Amino acid sequence: MFTAFGRSLIEIGSYSMCRCQACSNIFELKLKVVAHSGEGLLNEVGGFSILSGIDTITVHRLLKNSVTLDEYVLMTEAAQRDLPFPAQAGMVEGSETYAIGTFKTFLYRPEYSTEFDEAAIRESFSDSNVAVKILRDEIQNEYTDVACDPSKGFHFNTGRRASEINEYAPEWIDFIPSEVLESFAGMGNPFSLGSLQPGEHVVDVGSGAGLDSLIAAQMVGVDGNVIGVEMTAAMIEKARAAVDTMGSGQVECREGFMESLPVPNDWADVVISNGCLNLAPDKSLVLGEMFRVLRPGGRLQIADVTALKPVPSEAKQDIDLWTH
Ligand SMILES: C[S@@+](CC[C@H](N)C(=O)[O-])C[C@H]1O[C@@H](n2cnc3c(N)ncnc32)[C@H](O)[C@@H]1O
């Protein structure tokens, strides 16, 4: 339990996404366990179940005790009887005295070490992983703003200006609703690697407000199909509204993660992506997904930031550098 707790702290802390005091001091958190065994009465008070009775009071009293350690398990005799620790745990006998009586106690002091193993942390990234969830929440907050408050000002180029910098042809964007263009947050131009052909199947990974998906739809025509995969709800909403406005029936916006694309194997002729892969902690997982959905001989057209040197670990632990 203590080892698992320590590992979770490292996992959360090593991608210290949030700057609040609690998150900044996460490595200072310690685990203290106080256990007692007895009888309790469950009362319904104001719609809540409240546990009461003398044994409940006892365990609450025990939270204030004479133990000076940072981390421990402190058990009453009754708890040690009902939940016995193995003899090897080396529980130390003691006592705690309160107005309600003196209690014999058993104290366990954990000895464990949890080393910072970045490789192991990276390896453990998965959809159910806490660190990934925190990172996704932060990214979603940022891109919800790009969708809902596009003029707010961001640390990256957005809107028409981003499309001009990335040399999007005026004829591609002339027909795009302004709500989509204003929330464009692409970092490059996936179409500069080649045009898409009529009838092709395209997956747009991290499709945002849908600009690239709608341009792709124009290129593949009514016989083609485009699936945009996006995790931020506000972005999907914008993209779906634009698809309806434009009557682009060949475009479908699917809610999902780039790490587990909601697209069948070998479905796509082309996978495009613009500014999304850099937001993935595990890029090989995403590239694996892209290859899975591509048919043999399909094309991958990714526009994104690239690093010419290894990224220092302090930079990897800075949420602002991930989301901005
Ligand atoms: C820089 S924006 C680019 C959006 C769009 N490609 C464009 O060019 O406007 C990155 C997008 O990737 C989405 N995204 C980030 N992580 C994702 C993930 N794990 N799965 C799916 N989408 C993700 C974000 O919500 C955001 O909309």
Side-chain angles (χ1 to χ4, degrees):
M1 191 166 68
F2 285 94
T3 306
F5 181 76
R7 282 204 196 115
S8 292
L9 291 188
I10 287 178
E11 189 179 275
I12 297 169
S14 61
Y15 284 90
S16 47
M17 313 303 169
C18 175
R19 296 285 167 80
C20 80
Q21 217 187 349
C23 293
S24 309
N25 295 325
I26 195 157
F27 290 120
E28 306 304 318
L29 285 180
K30 302 288 178 210
L31 188 59
K32 296 177 180 176
V33 180
V34 169
H36 178 52
S37 176
E39 294 188 338
L41 189 67
L42 267 183
N43 287 320
E44 287 291 318
V45 181
F48 293 97
S49 292
I50 308 280
L51 192 61
S52 60
I54 185 69
D55 288 314
T56 309
I57 295 170
T58 302
V59 75
H60 277 117
R61 288 280 189 284
L62 274 167
L63 291 171
K64 283 214 164 92
N65 55 53
S66 60
V67 181
T68 53
L69 302 172
D70 270 349
E71 296 199 275
Y72 57 81
V73 177
L74 182 67
M75 301 175 97
T76 60
E77 199 173 15
Q80 169 65 4
R81 181 196 63 224
D82 291 345
L83 265 175
F85 260 48
Q88 310 88 285
M91 305 291 276
V92 176
E93 285 187 36
S95 66
E96 297 292 333
T97 300
Y98 306 95
I100 53 169
T102 295
F103 297 88
K104 189 171 176 188
T105 55
F106 293 83
L107 178 69
Y108 169 71
R109 177 188 199 154
E111 275 178 27
Y112 67 98
S113 80
T114 313
E115 280 169 19
F116 182 93
D117 181 347
E118 194 180 342
I121 293 167
R122 277 180 55 78
E123 214 168 88
S124 71
F125 266 107
S126 68
D127 282 359
S128 58
N129 178 287
V130 173
V132 168
K133 185 165 176 353
I134 296 170
L135 179 60
R136 283 178 179 167
D137 285 351
E138 290 293 324
I139 292 171
Q140 279 172 333
N141 289 342
E142 181 79 357
Y143 287 98
T144 298
D145 281 352
V146 177
C148 301
D149 189 7
S151 58
K152 177 181 164 190
F154 300 94
H155 289 81
F156 43 86
N157 292 309
T158 55
R160 183 173 290 278
R161 185 171 153 65
S163 75
E164 286 165 0
I165 291 171
N166 295 313
E167 299 181 347
Y168 275 55
E171 63 270 23
W172 295 344
I173 49 178
D174 274 352
F175 68 103
I176 301 282
S178 60
E179 292 80 11
V180 168
L181 189 56
E182 68 186 2
S183 295
F184 173 58
M187 294 178 167
N189 179 346
F191 306 107
S192 65
L193 295 167
S195 290
L196 312 182
Q197 301 309 310
E200 284 190 318
H201 284 185
V202 184
V203 177
D204 181 6
V205 176
S207 44
L211 180 69
D212 288 346
S213 296
L214 291 167
I215 294 172
Q218 192 191 23
M219 292 180 177
V220 299
V222 287
D223 293 331
N225 281 104
V226 181
I227 297 175
V229 179
E230 170 58 49
M231 74 168 182
T232 303
M235 285 291 196
I236 295 175
E237 211 174 296
K238 266 201 147 174
R240 285 185 180 150
V243 166
D244 283 350
T245 306
M246 294 182 58
S248 306
Q250 71 273 50
V251 182
E252 195 190 332
C253 308
R254 292 191 183 170
E255 188 164 359
F257 296 117
M258 59 180 149
E259 290 85 355
S260 49
L261 295 171
V263 179
N265 295 351
D266 302 338
W267 181 85
D269 299 295
V270 193
V271 170
I272 60 171
S273 185
N274 194 350
C276 191
L277 189 55
N278 71 91
L279 298 170
D282 188 339
K283 296 179 190 0
S284 33
L285 182 65
V286 180
L287 287 166
E289 272 298 276
M290 290 173 167
F291 279 106
R292 177 184 66 75
V293 303
L294 265 184
R295 68 164 169 77
R299 286 137 33 228
L300 198 52
Q301 303 190 186
I302 299 176
D304 220 308
V305 281
T306 49
L308 300 176
K309 290 189 290 192
V311 178
S313 58
E314 310 86 69
K316 283 186 199 162
Q317 290 160 29
D318 186 339
I319 183 61
D320 289 346
L321 297 178
W322 279 96
T323 55
H324 290 165

